[in-house]
Amino acid sequence: MTSNIDYIDKIPNNVDLGRDRVLQRALEHWQPAYMGWWYDMGPTESHHYDVYLRTAISVDPEGWAVFDYVKMPQYRWGIFLTPPTAGREVNFGINKGQPAWQDVPGEYRSMLRRLIVTQGDTEPASVEQQRMLGMCAPSLYDLRNIYQVNVEEGRHLWAMVYLLHRYFGRDGREEAEALLERRSGDVDNPRILGAFNEPTPDWLAFYMFTFFTDRDGKFQLSSLAESGFDPLARTCRFMLTEEAHHMFVGETGVGRIVQRTAEVMAEQHLEDPDDVRALGVIDLPTIQRYLNFHYSVTLDLFGGDISSNAASFYTTGLKGRYEETKIDDDHVLSDATYKVGTVKDGRVFDEEIPALNALNERLRDDYIGEVQAGVDRWNKIIERTGIPFRLRLPHKGFHRQIGNFAGYHISPEGDVMTEAAWKAKRDQWMPSAADYTFVQAMMAGRVVEPGKFANWIAPPRRGIHTQPIDFEYVRFN
Ligand SMILES: [Fe+2]
Ligand SMILES: [Fe+2]
């Protein structure tokens, strides 16, 4: 035996990695390439820092959240699947009632591979998008949080690569390599989905991304967690435990920025955005513009409103609806209909289409419901300060590149406009170059003293894992 075994033992897992020689060999080739990617594209200048991180070392409640100081290149990226459910079946589509598949059904192989690759591609993409942000972190607490998100996105990539290596043979190995070769925003070899090629240039964008775009991740993972392909379902179920923290970072991050701004406005009796900016906080209309941007590009991630692909994924039993098994219907959807928005004669209206073809739209609507609840909580924070401003979600058709609204120019209120009229208003609705310049200038430099926070953000209510807010969450060495 060579040193393989030691090395495999270093990967925490509940898939009996040590016994699977084929998988070991595949991972031996992939792991060094992954580390090369992490050194190149992971958080910049971070490789020697000691970071107070949680690591999943098993799937039990005590094992999935062990906290300690870790140098990120030594993070133990593990492979975990939620334990199997005895007697689990395919719960929807034409194969409903069959035992859940433990191997890839041959006829669905390429569809399944595509679902796994598309999900897997988003994971390293977000690490690439966020890699410079550590240099301008507003506190050690926030710096630790972004690094936690980054290492867990790395682990999510491992999760998808495990499935590719274990179940897809040679083409799975090729896809696993390609996942390390694409780059967010690269002209020649970009990431697969649009929102994952947008820059995340500052911390307001980062919190918006983790609130809106990581939540798309939650909804995609939730519908894959319903899959009739059991290893995919179990992998995604475990990933969801980590995703919750990412969305917490986003919601509380935006909430703390909103809180700080509203408090300054209330104290100083200011409303004009220029006056607010002069005090070193982000004016609420700028926050609204960031919201409009991140919400609209994330809505596109759900895909076309009318989709025969989504219908195939469902009918075959590969990708379910959000909380499929809790829904009370036939789980086949052959006669059901669903409303999707569309544009006709210069107006937005709803049309009924077969529910099978509207599954992307249905998932998008489930997502919108959750996002709205988060926006309501941000508005409560503003309301408590007595400031009358309220954030709101723009119309579903605003700034869309995919689906029925693509190609139209729709205002945040839902009015269909001419291109010229829309463009004239663009900078009132979306962050302008000047907004980005302002926000980035305010965020120049990072705050490194434990317990201190940049002026533009309120401290969190509590620290991480029972530690105090002024804990030394990152040691720079
Ligand atoms: Fe993820
Ligand atoms: Fe995430």
Side-chain angles (χ1 to χ4, degrees):
M1 276 291 124
T2 60
S3 61
N4 300 354
I5 296 300
D6 290 0
Y7 150 72
I8 292 297
D9 285 346
K10 282 184 196 152
I11 304 173
N13 72 89
N14 68 344
V15 294
D16 219 353
L17 212 52
R19 281 168 174 253
D20 188 334
R21 298 292 307 278
V22 177
L23 184 58
Q24 282 185 33
R25 272 199 293 276
L27 285 175
E28 273 161 26
H29 283 100
W30 189 78
Q31 196 270 356
Y34 172 80
M35 288 313 300
W37 170 80
W38 181 269
Y39 277 110
D40 286 352
M41 299 310 295
T44 187
E45 291 189 15
S46 68
H47 305 315
H48 299 292
Y49 302 168
D50 288 306
V51 188
Y52 188 70
L53 293 177
R54 74 172 177 191
T55 305
I57 57 163
S58 81
V59 293
D60 349 306
E62 319 84 70
W64 82 269
V66 172
F67 283 79
D68 205 350
Y69 283 105
V70 179
K71 288 188 174 52
M72 285 187 283
Q74 281 146 36
Y75 187 81
R76 297 170 74 210
W77 281 285
I79 299 170
F80 294 105
L81 279 64
T82 298
T85 310
R88 183 167 181 265
E89 295 179 347
V90 180
N91 292 314
F92 55 91
I94 53 172
N95 297 305
K96 184 172 177 293
Q98 285 187 20
W101 304 301
Q102 300 306 324
D103 264 304
V104 177
E107 66 273 39
Y108 303 151
R109 188 186 161 87
S110 68
M111 257 196 287
L112 198 48
R113 193 183 58 213
R114 182 165 150 205
L115 279 171
I116 293 169
V117 167
T118 307
Q119 178 61 41
D121 192 67
T122 65
E123 314 290 356
S126 64
V127 176
E128 293 164 5
Q129 288 168 294
Q130 295 161 15
R131 67 184 298 265
M132 301 304 292
L133 292 176
M135 308 308 286
C136 54
S139 72
L140 291 186
Y141 166 90
D142 291 279
L143 186 60
R144 175 257 167 232
N145 282 351
I146 194 172
Y147 289 159
Q148 182 74 61
V149 171
N150 293 157
V151 291
E152 288 178 349
E153 299 306 2
R155 204 200 69 74
H156 291 176
L157 172 61
W158 274 79
M160 293 296 114
V161 163
Y162 161 73
L163 294 173
L164 290 169
H165 279 163
R166 170 75 178 75
Y167 295 97
F168 292 88
R170 187 201 173 107
D171 45 339
R173 291 195 290 278
E174 285 167 4
E175 294 284 11
E177 277 164 34
L179 285 168
L180 296 174
E181 286 160 6
R182 285 186 286 274
R183 288 286 180 274
S184 176
D186 191 281
V187 195
D188 301 320
N189 195 14
R191 292 294 172 184
I192 296 170
L193 299 171
F196 292 90
N197 289 302
E198 298 285 350
T200 309
D202 58 64
W203 280 76
L204 179 55
F206 167 68
Y207 296 130
M208 289 287 179
F209 184 97
T210 40
F211 178 80
F212 286 107
T213 311
D214 280 75
R215 193 179 311 276
D216 160 70
K218 169 190 167 173
F219 279 80
Q220 300 301 336
L221 292 173
S222 297
S223 44
L224 294 173
E226 304 288 345
S227 181
F229 178 50
D230 205 42
L232 175 62
R234 292 167 51 209
T235 301
C236 291
R237 216 158 266 298
F238 188 73
M239 290 162 77
L240 283 165
T241 58
E242 291 159 329
E243 213 58 73
H245 176 68
H246 307 179
M247 292 178 296
F248 162 84
V249 169
E251 179 170 337
T252 55
V254 175
R256 289 160 53 213
I257 294 178
V258 163
Q259 182 190 336
R260 178 72 185 133
T261 300
E263 283 171 359
V264 167
M265 289 171 71
E267 272 165 29
Q268 306 291 326
H269 306 288
L270 293 176
E271 267 184 37
D272 185 86
D274 290 331
D275 296 340
V276 173
R277 286 184 175 199
L279 292 171
V281 296
I282 307 173
D283 55 292
L284 297 173
T286 297
I287 296 173
Q288 176 69 58
R289 289 192 286 276
Y290 271 65
L291 182 159
N292 291 349
F293 173 76
H294 287 273
Y295 176 64
S296 58
V297 299
T298 305
L299 289 185
D300 276 340
L301 290 174
F302 290 84
D305 309 57
I306 303 172
S307 167
S308 57
N309 279 333
S312 307
F313 293 150
Y314 186 83
T315 304
T316 50
L318 298 181
K319 181 181 178 187
R321 288 170 293 176
Y322 182 60
E323 301 198 316
E324 179 71 41
T325 46
K326 293 186 189 162
I327 300 172
D328 183 19
D329 64 14
D330 68 359
H331 304 278
V332 183
L333 304 181
S334 36
D335 301 320
T337 60
Y338 195 82
K339 273 196 192 114
V340 302
T342 188
V343 179
K344 211 173 190 180
D345 302 327
R347 274 190 328 110
V348 172
F349 70 102
D350 285 338
E351 66 176 342
E352 293 270 350
I353 66 161
L356 268 181
N357 291 314
L359 287 165
N360 288 341
E361 183 65 0
R362 180 180 175 129
L363 193 60
R364 186 161 27 233
D365 287 340
D366 290 336
Y367 166 85
I368 290 171
E370 222 185 78
V371 158
Q372 181 64 60
V375 173
D376 293 344
R377 288 189 289 273
W378 292 337
N379 282 331
K380 283 256 151 49
I381 295 172
I382 305 176
E383 199 181 336
R384 279 199 290 271
T385 65
I387 297 294
F389 189 97
R390 297 292 176 265
L391 295 165
R392 59 200 190 92
L393 294 177
H395 186 270
K396 205 194 266 185
F398 173 74
H399 186 238
R400 292 288 303 281
Q401 315 294 322
I402 288 177
N404 289 351
F405 297 117
Y408 293 100
H409 295 86
I410 297 175
S411 73
E413 289 73 35
D415 299 319
V416 183
M417 305 173 71
T418 65
E419 183 174 357
W422 194 95
K423 284 197 166 148
K425 291 254 189 178
R426 188 224 169 266
D427 285 1
Q428 291 175 36
W429 294 336
M430 301 250 285
S432 64
D435 289 334
Y436 284 122
T437 304
F438 160 71
V439 172
Q440 285 167 38
M442 199 175 54
M443 294 182 184
R446 78 177 155 204
V447 177
V448 296
E449 194 181 316
K452 278 208 104 187
F453 289 80
N455 182 59
W456 47 266
I457 190 164
R461 267 196 272 166
R462 60 185 73 85
I464 290 293
H465 188 239
T466 72
Q467 299 295 352
I469 290 172
D470 62 0
F471 185 70
E472 194 177 10
Y473 288 105
V474 180
R475 294 178 180 150
F476 296 104
N477 303 315

